[in-house]
C-alpha cells in the first residue's frame, strides 16, 4: 500500500520516539531516512529532516495522534518527574578528581592520564588530613584543642 509522510523531525531520536508512540497506538510507521541518519548525522538537516512514514489509510489517524501528543494530551502528571536524590558527595568527588588530575571525559577509561602528583598532594593536604584529624578527634584518639 502507498506510504504517506506523517511528520518530519530534525533528530533521529525524536523520529524513533514518534514511531514507537504510533506503534503503541496501533499505527505501523517507520523512519524513511534512517540509513541516512546513521551514515552522516549532518545530512539529516540537509534533506529537511527525517520523515516518518505510514500507510495512506493510517495517515490522518497518525497525524492526529502526533498532534495530540505534541499538545500534551498523553502526558502524565508525575511520569517524567525525577526523584530527588542526595548529591552531597558528588561535588566533593568532582573537586578531588579535578585536583588529582582527573581524566579526560572524552577518552576511554583505559586511557587515564597520569596522576598529577602536585594535585594529589593538595587533595591529601586540603581534604584527607583535615577529615582524618576530625575523625580521630571525634573518636577521642587526639585531644581536641
Amino acid at each position: 500500500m502507498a506510504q504517506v509522510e506523517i511528520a518530519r523531525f530534525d533528530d533521529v531520536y525524536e523520529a524513533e520516539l514518534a514511531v514507537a508512540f504510533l506503534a503503541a497506538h496501533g499505527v505501523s510507521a517507520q523512519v524513511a531516512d534512517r540509513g541516512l541518519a546513521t551514515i552522516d548525522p549532518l545530512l539529516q538537516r540537509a534533506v529537511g529532516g527525517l520523515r516518518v512514514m505510514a500507510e495512506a489509510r493510517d495517515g490522518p489517524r497518525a497525524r492526529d495522534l502526533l498532534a495530540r501528543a505534541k499538545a500534551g494530551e498523553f502526558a502524565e502528571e508525575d511520569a517524567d518527574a525525577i526523584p530527588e536524590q542526595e548529591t552531597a558527595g558528588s561535588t566533593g568527588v568532582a573537586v578531588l578528581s579535578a585536583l588529582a588530575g582527573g581524566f579526560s571525559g572524552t577518552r576511554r577509561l583505559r586511557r587515564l592520564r597520569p596522576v598529577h602528583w602536585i594535585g594529589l598532594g593538595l587533595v591529601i593536604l586540603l581534604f584527607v588530613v583535615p577529615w582524618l584529624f576530625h575523625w580521630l578527634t571525634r573518636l577521642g584518639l587526639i585531644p581536641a584543642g
Side-chain angles (χ1 to χ4, degrees):
M1 185 167 252
Q3 297 270 317
V4 295
E5 182 178 317
I6 302 304
R8 283 186 185 244
F9 294 93
D10 291 333
D11 192 298
V12 68
Y13 305 110
E14 291 176 348
E16 290 292 344
L17 281 172
V19 168
F21 174 76
L22 292 172
H25 287 86
V27 177
S28 177
Q30 62 273 350
V31 180
D33 305 316
R34 180 74 166 113
L36 178 68
T38 57
I39 293 172
D40 187 1
L42 296 176
L43 290 176
Q44 296 174 43
R45 290 184 173 84
V47 296
L50 297 167
R51 298 174 297 150
V52 172
M53 307 290 283
E55 293 184 14
R57 65 171 188 211
D58 292 333
R61 181 167 181 254
R63 286 188 192 96
D64 178 57
L65 281 168
L66 289 179
R68 289 168 47 199
K70 189 173 184 177
E73 184 177 328
F74 298 98
E76 295 179 9
E77 189 68 30
D78 295 325
D80 294 332
I82 298 173
E84 292 290 327
Q85 295 180 354
E86 182 68 32
T87 58
S90 63
T91 303
V93 170
V95 169
L96 291 175
S97 176
L99 289 174
F103 63 89
S104 176
T106 59
R107 296 181 181 172
R108 295 182 187 160
L109 290 177
R110 64 184 174 88
R111 294 183 180 173
L112 291 176
R113 292 188 298 173
V115 173
H116 296 264
W117 295 109
I118 295 172
L120 183 61
L122 284 173
V123 167
I124 291 171
L125 185 65
L126 295 174
F127 295 101
V128 176
V129 171
W131 177 82
L132 185 62
F133 183 77
H134 168 76
W135 280 105
L136 289 174
T137 304
R138 246 182 127 171
L139 294 172
L141 299 174
I142 297 177

